[in-house]
PDB file of all heavy atoms in Angstrom:
ATOM      1  N   LEU A   1      -5.932 115.997 -26.319  1.00 98.00           N
ATOM      2  CA  LEU A   1      -5.814 117.058 -25.325  1.00 98.00           C
ATOM      3  C   LEU A   1      -4.359 117.479 -25.180  1.00 98.00           C
ATOM      4  O   LEU A   1      -3.463 116.635 -25.173  1.00 98.00           O
ATOM      5  CB  LEU A   1      -6.353 116.570 -23.979  1.00 98.00           C
ATOM      6  CG  LEU A   1      -7.792 116.035 -23.997  1.00 98.00           C
ATOM      7  CD1 LEU A   1      -8.147 115.423 -22.640  1.00 98.00           C
ATOM      8  CD2 LEU A   1      -8.770 117.139 -24.341  1.00 98.00           C
ATOM      9  N   GLU A   2      -4.142 118.787 -25.055  1.00 97.00           N
ATOM     10  CA  GLU A   2      -2.797 119.335 -24.946  1.00 97.00           C
ATOM     11  C   GLU A   2      -2.533 119.802 -23.513  1.00 97.00           C
ATOM     12  O   GLU A   2      -3.404 120.371 -22.859  1.00 97.00           O
ATOM     13  CB  GLU A   2      -2.607 120.505 -25.911  1.00 97.00           C
ATOM     14  CG  GLU A   2      -2.805 120.150 -27.372  1.00 97.00           C
ATOM     15  CD  GLU A   2      -1.741 119.181 -27.879  1.00 97.00           C
ATOM     16  OE1 GLU A   2      -0.614 119.195 -27.331  1.00 97.00           O
ATOM     17  OE2 GLU A   2      -2.041 118.411 -28.821  1.00 97.00           O
ATOM     18  N   ARG A   3      -1.315 119.548 -23.036  1.00 97.00           N
ATOM     19  CA  ARG A   3      -0.964 119.917 -21.660  1.00 97.00           C
ATOM     20  C   ARG A   3      -1.168 121.410 -21.418  1.00 97.00           C
ATOM     21  O   ARG A   3      -1.752 121.799 -20.390  1.00 97.00           O
ATOM     22  CB  ARG A   3       0.491 119.532 -21.366  1.00 97.00           C
ATOM     23  CG  ARG A   3       0.985 120.001 -20.000  1.00 97.00           C
ATOM     24  CD  ARG A   3       2.427 119.596 -19.742  1.00 97.00           C
ATOM     25  NE  ARG A   3       2.516 118.169 -19.469  1.00 97.00           N
ATOM     26  CZ  ARG A   3       2.391 117.627 -18.253  1.00 97.00           C
ATOM     27  NH1 ARG A   3       2.164 118.399 -17.205  1.00 97.00           N
ATOM     28  NH2 ARG A   3       2.494 116.331 -18.092  1.00 97.00           N
ATOM     29  N   LYS A   4      -0.699 122.259 -22.320  1.00 96.00           N
ATOM     30  CA  LYS A   4      -0.798 123.704 -22.104  1.00 96.00           C
ATOM     31  C   LYS A   4      -2.250 124.138 -21.976  1.00 96.00           C
ATOM     32  O   LYS A   4      -2.598 124.991 -21.162  1.00 96.00           O
ATOM     33  CB  LYS A   4      -0.101 124.460 -23.234  1.00 96.00           C
ATOM     34  CG  LYS A   4       1.419 124.349 -23.208  1.00 96.00           C
ATOM     35  CD  LYS A   4       2.045 125.177 -24.322  1.00 96.00           C
ATOM     36  CE  LYS A   4       3.564 125.082 -24.276  1.00 96.00           C
ATOM     37  NZ  LYS A   4       4.208 125.884 -25.370  1.00 96.00           N
ATOM     38  N   GLU A   5      -3.118 123.561 -22.818  1.00 96.00           N
ATOM     39  CA  GLU A   5      -4.530 123.906 -22.743  1.00 96.00           C
ATOM     40  C   GLU A   5      -5.150 123.403 -21.442  1.00 96.00           C
ATOM     41  O   GLU A   5      -5.955 124.078 -20.808  1.00 96.00           O
ATOM     42  CB  GLU A   5      -5.275 123.318 -23.947  1.00 96.00           C
ATOM     43  CG  GLU A   5      -4.980 124.008 -25.266  1.00 96.00           C
ATOM     44  CD  GLU A   5      -5.440 125.453 -25.279  1.00 96.00           C
ATOM     45  OE1 GLU A   5      -6.484 125.745 -24.654  1.00 96.00           O
ATOM     46  OE2 GLU A   5      -4.756 126.297 -25.887  1.00 96.00           O
ATOM     47  N   SER A   6      -4.770 122.198 -21.043  1.00 96.00           N
ATOM     48  CA  SER A   6      -5.373 121.615 -19.839  1.00 96.00           C
ATOM     49  C   SER A   6      -5.028 122.420 -18.599  1.00 96.00           C
ATOM     50  O   SER A   6      -5.791 122.433 -17.631  1.00 96.00           O
ATOM     51  CB  SER A   6      -4.926 120.160 -19.677  1.00 96.00           C
ATOM     52  OG  SER A   6      -3.576 120.081 -19.237  1.00 96.00           O
ATOM     53  N   ALA A   7      -3.876 123.084 -18.608  1.00 95.00           N
ATOM     54  CA  ALA A   7      -3.488 123.898 -17.452  1.00 95.00           C
ATOM     55  C   ALA A   7      -4.421 125.084 -17.270  1.00 95.00           C
ATOM     56  O   ALA A   7      -4.517 125.642 -16.168  1.00 95.00           O
ATOM     57  CB  ALA A   7      -2.047 124.374 -17.618  1.00 95.00           C
ATOM     58  N   ARG A   8      -5.135 125.474 -18.335  1.00 95.00           N
ATOM     59  CA  ARG A   8      -6.022 126.641 -18.255  1.00 95.00           C
ATOM     60  C   ARG A   8      -7.463 126.275 -17.901  1.00 95.00           C
ATOM     61  O   ARG A   8      -8.295 127.158 -17.730  1.00 95.00           O
ATOM     62  CB  ARG A   8      -5.988 127.400 -19.590  1.00 95.00           C
ATOM     63  CG  ARG A   8      -4.676 128.129 -19.837  1.00 95.00           C
ATOM     64  CD  ARG A   8      -4.814 129.120 -20.987  1.00 95.00           C
ATOM     65  NE  ARG A   8      -4.717 128.435 -22.281  1.00 95.00           N
ATOM     66  CZ  ARG A   8      -3.579 128.301 -22.956  1.00 95.00           C
ATOM     67  NH1 ARG A   8      -2.448 128.779 -22.457  1.00 95.00           N
ATOM     68  NH2 ARG A   8      -3.551 127.687 -24.123  1.00 95.00           N
ATOM     69  N   TRP A   9      -7.768 125.007 -17.797  1.00 96.00           N
ATOM     70  CA  TRP A   9      -9.143 124.622 -17.468  1.00 96.00           C
ATOM     71  C   TRP A   9      -9.476 125.013 -16.028  1.00 96.00           C
ATOM     72  O   TRP A   9      -8.718 124.700 -15.104  1.00 96.00           O
ATOM     73  CB  TRP A   9      -9.356 123.123 -17.606  1.00 96.00           C
ATOM     74  CG  TRP A   9      -9.116 122.564 -18.980  1.00 96.00           C
ATOM     75  CD1 TRP A   9      -9.091 123.242 -20.155  1.00 96.00           C
ATOM     76  CD2 TRP A   9      -8.832 121.195 -19.300  1.00 96.00           C
ATOM     77  NE1 TRP A   9      -8.813 122.400 -21.192  1.00 96.00           N
ATOM     78  CE2 TRP A   9      -8.656 121.131 -20.703  1.00 96.00           C
ATOM     79  CE3 TRP A   9      -8.716 120.031 -18.556  1.00 96.00           C
ATOM     80  CZ2 TRP A   9      -8.363 119.941 -21.358  1.00 96.00           C
ATOM     81  CZ3 TRP A   9      -8.435 118.839 -19.201  1.00 96.00           C
ATOM     82  CH2 TRP A   9      -8.265 118.798 -20.598  1.00 96.00           C
ATOM     83  N   ALA A  10     -10.595 125.687 -15.855  1.00 96.00           N
ATOM     84  CA  ALA A  10     -11.133 125.943 -14.511  1.00 96.00           C
ATOM     85  C   ALA A  10     -12.152 124.846 -14.238  1.00 96.00           C
ATOM     86  O   ALA A  10     -13.192 124.785 -14.888  1.00 96.00           O
ATOM     87  CB  ALA A  10     -11.782 127.323 -14.438  1.00 96.00           C
ATOM     88  N   ALA A  11     -11.845 123.989 -13.285  1.00 95.00           N
ATOM     89  CA  ALA A  11     -12.648 122.783 -13.079  1.00 95.00           C
ATOM     90  C   ALA A  11     -14.126 123.096 -12.873  1.00 95.00           C
ATOM     91  O   ALA A  11     -15.000 122.355 -13.329  1.00 95.00           O
ATOM     92  CB  ALA A  11     -12.111 121.988 -11.890  1.00 95.00           C
ATOM     93  N   ALA A  12     -14.439 124.191 -12.192  1.00 95.00           N
ATOM     94  CA  ALA A  12     -15.829 124.484 -11.854  1.00 95.00           C
ATOM     95  C   ALA A  12     -16.639 124.985 -13.046  1.00 95.00           C
ATOM     96  O   ALA A  12     -17.870 124.882 -13.053  1.00 95.00           O
ATOM     97  CB  ALA A  12     -15.891 125.512 -10.734  1.00 95.00           C
ATOM     98  N   THR A  13     -15.967 125.518 -14.078  1.00 96.00           N
ATOM     99  CA  THR A  13     -16.710 126.164 -15.165  1.00 96.00           C
ATOM    100  C   THR A  13     -16.371 125.652 -16.557  1.00 96.00           C
ATOM    101  O   THR A  13     -17.079 125.994 -17.512  1.00 96.00           O
ATOM    102  CB  THR A  13     -16.453 127.684 -15.140  1.00 96.00           C
ATOM    103  OG1 THR A  13     -15.043 127.928 -15.255  1.00 96.00           O
ATOM    104  CG2 THR A  13     -16.958 128.285 -13.836  1.00 96.00           C
ATOM    105  N   VAL A  14     -15.333 124.857 -16.727  1.00 97.00           N
ATOM    106  CA  VAL A  14     -14.918 124.457 -18.062  1.00 97.00           C
ATOM    107  C   VAL A  14     -16.029 123.682 -18.762  1.00 97.00           C
ATOM    108  O   VAL A  14     -16.734 122.866 -18.155  1.00 97.00           O
ATOM    109  CB  VAL A  14     -13.625 123.609 -17.984  1.00 97.00           C
ATOM    110  CG1 VAL A  14     -13.843 122.321 -17.198  1.00 97.00           C
ATOM    111  CG2 VAL A  14     -13.092 123.308 -19.374  1.00 97.00           C
ATOM    112  N   ASP A  15     -16.211 123.961 -20.055  1.00 97.00           N
ATOM    113  CA  ASP A  15     -17.211 123.287 -20.883  1.00 97.00           C
ATOM    114  C   ASP A  15     -16.495 122.238 -21.734  1.00 97.00           C
ATOM    115  O   ASP A  15     -15.692 122.596 -22.603  1.00 97.00           O
ATOM    116  CB  ASP A  15     -17.923 124.301 -21.779  1.00 97.00           C
ATOM    117  CG  ASP A  15     -19.030 123.674 -22.610  1.00 97.00           C
ATOM    118  OD1 ASP A  15     -19.038 122.435 -22.777  1.00 97.00           O
ATOM    119  OD2 ASP A  15     -19.888 124.420 -23.121  1.00 97.00           O
ATOM    120  N   PRO A  16     -16.754 120.969 -21.510  1.00 97.00           N
ATOM    121  CA  PRO A  16     -16.027 119.928 -22.256  1.00 97.00           C
ATOM    122  C   PRO A  16     -16.171 120.051 -23.764  1.00 97.00           C
ATOM    123  O   PRO A  16     -15.198 119.840 -24.496  1.00 97.00           O
ATOM    124  CB  PRO A  16     -16.648 118.623 -21.738  1.00 97.00           C
ATOM    125  CG  PRO A  16     -17.184 118.957 -20.394  1.00 97.00           C
ATOM    126  CD  PRO A  16     -17.645 120.380 -20.486  1.00 97.00           C
ATOM    127  N   LEU A  17     -17.365 120.414 -24.252  1.00 96.00           N
ATOM    128  CA  LEU A  17     -17.532 120.509 -25.704  1.00 96.00           C
ATOM    129  C   LEU A  17     -16.717 121.654 -26.291  1.00 96.00           C
ATOM    130  O   LEU A  17     -16.223 121.551 -27.426  1.00 96.00           O
ATOM    131  CB  LEU A  17     -19.013 120.679 -26.058  1.00 96.00           C
ATOM    132  CG  LEU A  17     -19.874 119.418 -25.974  1.00 96.00           C
ATOM    133  CD1 LEU A  17     -21.251 119.673 -26.572  1.00 96.00           C
ATOM    134  CD2 LEU A  17     -19.212 118.232 -26.666  1.00 96.00           C
ATOM    135  N   GLU A  18     -16.559 122.737 -25.543  1.00 97.00           N
ATOM    136  CA  GLU A  18     -15.688 123.816 -26.020  1.00 97.00           C
ATOM    137  C   GLU A  18     -14.251 123.330 -26.137  1.00 97.00           C
ATOM    138  O   GLU A  18     -13.537 123.664 -27.089  1.00 97.00           O
ATOM    139  CB  GLU A  18     -15.773 125.018 -25.084  1.00 97.00           C
ATOM    140  CG  GLU A  18     -17.092 125.774 -25.154  1.00 97.00           C
ATOM    141  CD  GLU A  18     -17.073 127.016 -24.292  1.00 97.00           C
ATOM    142  OE1 GLU A  18     -16.012 127.334 -23.705  1.00 97.00           O
ATOM    143  OE2 GLU A  18     -18.129 127.679 -24.191  1.00 97.00           O
ATOM    144  N   VAL A  19     -13.814 122.539 -25.154  1.00 97.00           N
ATOM    145  CA  VAL A  19     -12.475 121.953 -25.210  1.00 97.00           C
ATOM    146  C   VAL A  19     -12.365 121.041 -26.436  1.00 97.00           C
ATOM    147  O   VAL A  19     -11.372 121.080 -27.166  1.00 97.00           O
ATOM    148  CB  VAL A  19     -12.172 121.170 -23.923  1.00 97.00           C
ATOM    149  CG1 VAL A  19     -10.839 120.422 -24.046  1.00 97.00           C
ATOM    150  CG2 VAL A  19     -12.141 122.113 -22.721  1.00 97.00           C
ATOM    151  N   PHE A  20     -13.380 120.218 -26.675  1.00 97.00           N
ATOM    152  CA  PHE A  20     -13.366 119.326 -27.830  1.00 97.00           C
ATOM    153  C   PHE A  20     -13.271 120.123 -29.123  1.00 97.00           C
ATOM    154  O   PHE A  20     -12.528 119.747 -30.042  1.00 97.00           O
ATOM    155  CB  PHE A  20     -14.649 118.483 -27.859  1.00 97.00           C
ATOM    156  CG  PHE A  20     -14.636 117.312 -26.904  1.00 97.00           C
ATOM    157  CD1 PHE A  20     -13.867 117.317 -25.750  1.00 97.00           C
ATOM    158  CD2 PHE A  20     -15.413 116.196 -27.155  1.00 97.00           C
ATOM    159  CE1 PHE A  20     -13.856 116.250 -24.871  1.00 97.00           C
ATOM    160  CE2 PHE A  20     -15.422 115.117 -26.301  1.00 97.00           C
ATOM    161  CZ  PHE A  20     -14.638 115.142 -25.150  1.00 97.00           C
ATOM    162  N   ASN A  21     -14.027 121.209 -29.203  1.00 96.00           N
ATOM    163  CA  ASN A  21     -14.041 121.996 -30.444  1.00 96.00           C
ATOM    164  C   ASN A  21     -12.699 122.678 -30.678  1.00 96.00           C
ATOM    165  O   ASN A  21     -12.200 122.717 -31.814  1.00 96.00           O
ATOM    166  CB  ASN A  21     -15.164 123.031 -30.385  1.00 96.00           C
ATOM    167  CG  ASN A  21     -16.539 122.386 -30.407  1.00 96.00           C
ATOM    168  OD1 ASN A  21     -16.712 121.272 -30.917  1.00 96.00           O
ATOM    169  ND2 ASN A  21     -17.531 123.073 -29.854  1.00 96.00           N
ATOM    170  N   VAL A  22     -12.099 123.222 -29.605  1.00 96.00           N
ATOM    171  CA  VAL A  22     -10.785 123.854 -29.750  1.00 96.00           C
ATOM    172  C   VAL A  22      -9.754 122.824 -30.194  1.00 96.00           C
ATOM    173  O   VAL A  22      -8.874 123.117 -31.029  1.00 96.00           O
ATOM    174  CB  VAL A  22     -10.360 124.511 -28.421  1.00 96.00           C
ATOM    175  CG1 VAL A  22      -8.893 124.946 -28.480  1.00 96.00           C
ATOM    176  CG2 VAL A  22     -11.251 125.711 -28.116  1.00 96.00           C
ATOM    177  N   ALA A  23      -9.870 121.596 -29.673  1.00 95.00           N
ATOM    178  CA  ALA A  23      -8.911 120.540 -30.005  1.00 95.00           C
ATOM    179  C   ALA A  23      -9.268 119.810 -31.302  1.00 95.00           C
ATOM    180  O   ALA A  23      -8.580 118.860 -31.665  1.00 95.00           O
ATOM    181  CB  ALA A  23      -8.850 119.526 -28.859  1.00 95.00           C
ATOM    182  N   LYS A  24     -10.331 120.283 -31.963  1.00 95.00           N
ATOM    183  CA  LYS A  24     -10.794 119.636 -33.206  1.00 95.00           C
ATOM    184  C   LYS A  24     -11.083 118.142 -32.978  1.00 95.00           C
ATOM    185  O   LYS A  24     -10.680 117.277 -33.764  1.00 95.00           O
ATOM    186  CB  LYS A  24      -9.785 119.830 -34.337  1.00 95.00           C
ATOM    187  CG  LYS A  24      -9.615 121.290 -34.763  1.00 95.00           C
ATOM    188  CD  LYS A  24      -8.636 121.436 -35.900  1.00 95.00           C
ATOM    189  CE  LYS A  24      -8.634 122.848 -36.447  1.00 95.00           C
ATOM    190  NZ  LYS A  24      -8.379 123.884 -35.435  1.00 95.00           N
ATOM    191  N   GLY A  25     -11.782 117.880 -31.867  1.00 96.00           N
ATOM    192  CA  GLY A  25     -12.155 116.508 -31.559  1.00 96.00           C
ATOM    193  C   GLY A  25     -13.234 115.991 -32.501  1.00 96.00           C
ATOM    194  O   GLY A  25     -13.956 116.764 -33.142  1.00 96.00           O
ATOM    195  N   ARG A  26     -13.340 114.679 -32.583  1.00 96.00           N
ATOM    196  CA  ARG A  26     -14.359 114.040 -33.438  1.00 96.00           C
ATOM    197  C   ARG A  26     -15.535 113.576 -32.577  1.00 96.00           C
ATOM    198  O   ARG A  26     -15.355 112.830 -31.621  1.00 96.00           O
ATOM    199  CB  ARG A  26     -13.770 112.827 -34.163  1.00 96.00           C
ATOM    200  CG  ARG A  26     -12.828 113.145 -35.294  1.00 96.00           C
ATOM    201  CD  ARG A  26     -12.650 111.934 -36.202  1.00 96.00           C
ATOM    202  NE  ARG A  26     -12.256 110.732 -35.482  1.00 96.00           N
ATOM    203  CZ  ARG A  26     -12.876 109.566 -35.616  1.00 96.00           C
ATOM    204  NH1 ARG A  26     -13.936 109.439 -36.407  1.00 96.00           N
ATOM    205  NH2 ARG A  26     -12.435 108.493 -34.939  1.00 96.00           N
ATOM    206  N   TYR A  27     -16.727 114.008 -32.941  1.00 97.00           N
ATOM    207  CA  TYR A  27     -17.951 113.507 -32.331  1.00 97.00           C
ATOM    208  C   TYR A  27     -19.119 113.885 -33.233  1.00 97.00           C
ATOM    209  O   TYR A  27     -19.023 114.803 -34.053  1.00 97.00           O
ATOM    210  CB  TYR A  27     -18.152 114.065 -30.915  1.00 97.00           C
ATOM    211  CG  TYR A  27     -18.306 115.572 -30.839  1.00 97.00           C
ATOM    212  CD1 TYR A  27     -19.569 116.158 -30.865  1.00 97.00           C
ATOM    213  CD2 TYR A  27     -17.196 116.401 -30.709  1.00 97.00           C
ATOM    214  CE1 TYR A  27     -19.714 117.540 -30.788  1.00 97.00           C
ATOM    215  CE2 TYR A  27     -17.329 117.772 -30.628  1.00 97.00           C
ATOM    216  CZ  TYR A  27     -18.587 118.336 -30.665  1.00 97.00           C
ATOM    217  OH  TYR A  27     -18.731 119.696 -30.587  1.00 97.00           O
ATOM    218  N   ASP A  28     -20.204 113.165 -33.087  1.00 96.00           N
ATOM    219  CA  ASP A  28     -21.393 113.394 -33.900  1.00 96.00           C
ATOM    220  C   ASP A  28     -22.560 113.656 -32.961  1.00 96.00           C
ATOM    221  O   ASP A  28     -23.182 112.720 -32.448  1.00 96.00           O
ATOM    222  CB  ASP A  28     -21.668 112.173 -34.786  1.00 96.00           C
ATOM    223  CG  ASP A  28     -22.864 112.393 -35.722  1.00 96.00           C
ATOM    224  OD1 ASP A  28     -23.470 113.488 -35.667  1.00 96.00           O
ATOM    225  OD2 ASP A  28     -23.199 111.462 -36.478  1.00 96.00           O
ATOM    226  N   LEU A  29     -22.852 114.930 -32.727  1.00 96.00           N
ATOM    227  CA  LEU A  29     -23.884 115.317 -31.781  1.00 96.00           C
ATOM    228  C   LEU A  29     -25.134 115.761 -32.543  1.00 96.00           C
ATOM    229  O   LEU A  29     -25.094 116.697 -33.342  1.00 96.00           O
ATOM    230  CB  LEU A  29     -23.383 116.453 -30.885  1.00 96.00           C
ATOM    231  CG  LEU A  29     -24.335 116.924 -29.784  1.00 96.00           C
ATOM    232  CD1 LEU A  29     -24.598 115.800 -28.789  1.00 96.00           C
ATOM    233  CD2 LEU A  29     -23.769 118.150 -29.083  1.00 96.00           C
ATOM    234  N   ARG A  30     -26.259 115.095 -32.267  1.00 95.00           N
ATOM    235  CA  ARG A  30     -27.506 115.411 -32.947  1.00 95.00           C
ATOM    236  C   ARG A  30     -28.291 116.480 -32.184  1.00 95.00           C
ATOM    237  O   ARG A  30     -27.942 116.867 -31.066  1.00 95.00           O
ATOM    238  CB  ARG A  30     -28.352 114.141 -33.097  1.00 95.00           C
ATOM    239  CG  ARG A  30     -27.636 113.054 -33.900  1.00 95.00           C
ATOM    240  CD  ARG A  30     -27.240 113.564 -35.294  1.00 95.00           C
ATOM    241  NE  ARG A  30     -26.381 112.641 -36.011  1.00 95.00           N
ATOM    242  CZ  ARG A  30     -26.831 111.657 -36.801  1.00 95.00           C
ATOM    243  NH1 ARG A  30     -28.137 111.442 -36.932  1.00 95.00           N
ATOM    244  NH2 ARG A  30     -25.983 110.885 -37.447  1.00 95.00           N
ATOM    245  N   ASP A  31     -29.366 116.976 -32.820  1.00 95.00           N
ATOM    246  CA  ASP A  31     -30.163 118.046 -32.223  1.00 95.00           C
ATOM    247  C   ASP A  31     -30.765 117.648 -30.879  1.00 95.00           C
ATOM    248  O   ASP A  31     -31.012 118.508 -30.027  1.00 95.00           O
ATOM    249  CB  ASP A  31     -31.287 118.468 -33.179  1.00 95.00           C
ATOM    250  CG  ASP A  31     -30.752 119.175 -34.421  1.00 95.00           C
ATOM    251  OD1 ASP A  31     -29.608 119.671 -34.362  1.00 95.00           O
ATOM    252  OD2 ASP A  31     -31.466 119.217 -35.434  1.00 95.00           O
ATOM    253  N   ASN A  32     -31.015 116.365 -30.691  1.00 95.00           N
ATOM    254  CA  ASN A  32     -31.582 115.908 -29.409  1.00 95.00           C
ATOM    255  C   ASN A  32     -30.504 115.604 -28.381  1.00 95.00           C
ATOM    256  O   ASN A  32     -30.759 114.945 -27.385  1.00 95.00           O
ATOM    257  CB  ASN A  32     -32.473 114.687 -29.631  1.00 95.00           C
ATOM    258  CG  ASN A  32     -31.671 113.476 -30.105  1.00 95.00           C
ATOM    259  OD1 ASN A  32     -30.475 113.581 -30.416  1.00 95.00           O
ATOM    260  ND2 ASN A  32     -32.324 112.334 -30.168  1.00 95.00           N
ATOM    261  N   GLN A  33     -29.281 116.099 -28.626  1.00 95.00           N
ATOM    262  CA  GLN A  33     -28.139 115.953 -27.715  1.00 95.00           C
ATOM    263  C   GLN A  33     -27.622 114.513 -27.608  1.00 95.00           C
ATOM    264  O   GLN A  33     -26.878 114.190 -26.692  1.00 95.00           O
ATOM    265  CB  GLN A  33     -28.488 116.464 -26.311  1.00 95.00           C
ATOM    266  CG  GLN A  33     -28.885 117.928 -26.263  1.00 95.00           C
ATOM    267  CD  GLN A  33     -27.741 118.836 -26.699  1.00 95.00           C
ATOM    268  OE1 GLN A  33     -26.729 118.937 -26.034  1.00 95.00           O
ATOM    269  NE2 GLN A  33     -27.918 119.497 -27.839  1.00 95.00           N
ATOM    270  N   GLU A  34     -27.973 113.670 -28.570  1.00 95.00           N
ATOM    271  CA  GLU A  34     -27.478 112.295 -28.555  1.00 95.00           C
ATOM    272  C   GLU A  34     -26.147 112.206 -29.288  1.00 95.00           C
ATOM    273  O   GLU A  34     -25.976 112.778 -30.375  1.00 95.00           O
ATOM    274  CB  GLU A  34     -28.483 111.358 -29.226  1.00 95.00           C
ATOM    275  CG  GLU A  34     -28.023 109.900 -29.232  1.00 95.00           C
ATOM    276  CD  GLU A  34     -29.007 108.970 -29.916  1.00 95.00           C
ATOM    277  OE1 GLU A  34     -29.994 109.468 -30.494  1.00 95.00           O
ATOM    278  OE2 GLU A  34     -28.779 107.740 -29.876  1.00 95.00           O
ATOM    279  N   LEU A  35     -25.212 111.513 -28.681  1.00 95.00           N
ATOM    280  CA  LEU A  35     -23.927 111.239 -29.322  1.00 95.00           C
ATOM    281  C   LEU A  35     -24.087 109.990 -30.192  1.00 95.00           C
ATOM    282  O   LEU A  35     -24.308 108.892 -29.680  1.00 95.00           O
ATOM    283  CB  LEU A  35     -22.840 111.008 -28.270  1.00 95.00           C
ATOM    284  CG  LEU A  35     -22.297 112.249 -27.550  1.00 95.00           C
ATOM    285  CD1 LEU A  35     -21.462 111.831 -26.348  1.00 95.00           C
ATOM    286  CD2 LEU A  35     -21.480 113.110 -28.505  1.00 95.00           C
ATOM    287  N   LYS A  36     -23.974 110.169 -31.483  1.00 95.00           N
ATOM    288  CA  LYS A  36     -24.076 109.039 -32.399  1.00 95.00           C
ATOM    289  C   LYS A  36     -22.699 108.397 -32.577  1.00 95.00           C
ATOM    290  O   LYS A  36     -21.664 108.967 -32.224  1.00 95.00           O
ATOM    291  CB  LYS A  36     -24.621 109.500 -33.751  1.00 95.00           C
ATOM    292  CG  LYS A  36     -25.982 110.168 -33.669  1.00 95.00           C
ATOM    293  CD  LYS A  36     -27.053 109.212 -33.173  1.00 95.00           C
ATOM    294  CE  LYS A  36     -27.424 108.185 -34.230  1.00 95.00           C
ATOM    295  NZ  LYS A  36     -28.567 107.352 -33.799  1.00 95.00           N
ATOM    296  N   ALA A  37     -22.704 107.201 -33.131  1.00 94.00           N
ATOM    297  CA  ALA A  37     -21.456 106.444 -33.290  1.00 94.00           C
ATOM    298  C   ALA A  37     -20.553 107.088 -34.327  1.00 94.00           C
ATOM    299  O   ALA A  37     -21.016 107.652 -35.339  1.00 94.00           O
ATOM    300  CB  ALA A  37     -21.776 105.013 -33.694  1.00 94.00           C
ATOM    301  N   ILE A  38     -19.226 107.019 -34.073  1.00 96.00           N
ATOM    302  CA  ILE A  38     -18.218 107.449 -35.038  1.00 96.00           C
ATOM    303  C   ILE A  38     -17.299 106.261 -35.299  1.00 96.00           C
ATOM    304  O   ILE A  38     -17.332 105.255 -34.593  1.00 96.00           O
ATOM    305  CB  ILE A  38     -17.400 108.659 -34.513  1.00 96.00           C
ATOM    306  CG1 ILE A  38     -16.630 108.263 -33.249  1.00 96.00           C
ATOM    307  CG2 ILE A  38     -18.306 109.851 -34.249  1.00 96.00           C
ATOM    308  CD1 ILE A  38     -15.658 109.334 -32.761  1.00 96.00           C
ATOM    309  N   SER A  39     -16.487 106.374 -36.313  1.00 95.00           N
ATOM    310  CA  SER A  39     -15.545 105.296 -36.624  1.00 95.00           C
ATOM    311  C   SER A  39     -14.451 105.249 -35.562  1.00 95.00           C
ATOM    312  O   SER A  39     -14.044 106.286 -35.030  1.00 95.00           O
ATOM    313  CB  SER A  39     -14.923 105.508 -37.996  1.00 95.00           C
ATOM    314  OG  SER A  39     -14.242 106.746 -38.040  1.00 95.00           O
ATOM    315  N   PRO A  40     -13.966 104.052 -35.210  1.00 94.00           N
ATOM    316  CA  PRO A  40     -12.900 103.950 -34.206  1.00 94.00           C
ATOM    317  C   PRO A  40     -11.625 104.643 -34.674  1.00 94.00           C
ATOM    318  O   PRO A  40     -11.337 104.678 -35.883  1.00 94.00           O
ATOM    319  CB  PRO A  40     -12.677 102.437 -34.077  1.00 94.00           C
ATOM    320  CG  PRO A  40     -13.919 101.811 -34.613  1.00 94.00           C
ATOM    321  CD  PRO A  40     -14.415 102.733 -35.686  1.00 94.00           C
TER     322      PRO A  40
END
C-alpha cells in the first residue's frame, strides 16, 4: 500500500479489491469468492 493512494480512500465506499488490483497485490480468488492459499 502506498501513502499517496491511501490518502484518496473514501472509507465509506472504497473497494478493497480495487485497491489490491491497483497495487498489483497477490491473491487467488475463485469463482465462489473463496480466497485460496498463496505462497508466503
Side-chain angles (χ1 to χ4, degrees):
L1 305 173
E2 300 294 332
R3 174 180 287 272
K4 289 183 179 180
E5 288 296 325
S6 74
R8 289 194 280 267
W9 300 341
T13 58
V14 62
D15 183 341
L17 283 190
E18 289 185 4
V19 173
F20 281 26
N21 293 334
V22 170
K24 295 181 171 55
R26 286 198 307 129
Y27 62 93
D28 183 0
L29 183 63
R30 300 303 171 89
D31 291 340
N32 66 352
Q33 300 297 293
E34 180 181 6
L35 284 168
K36 302 297 287 186
I38 63 173
S39 59

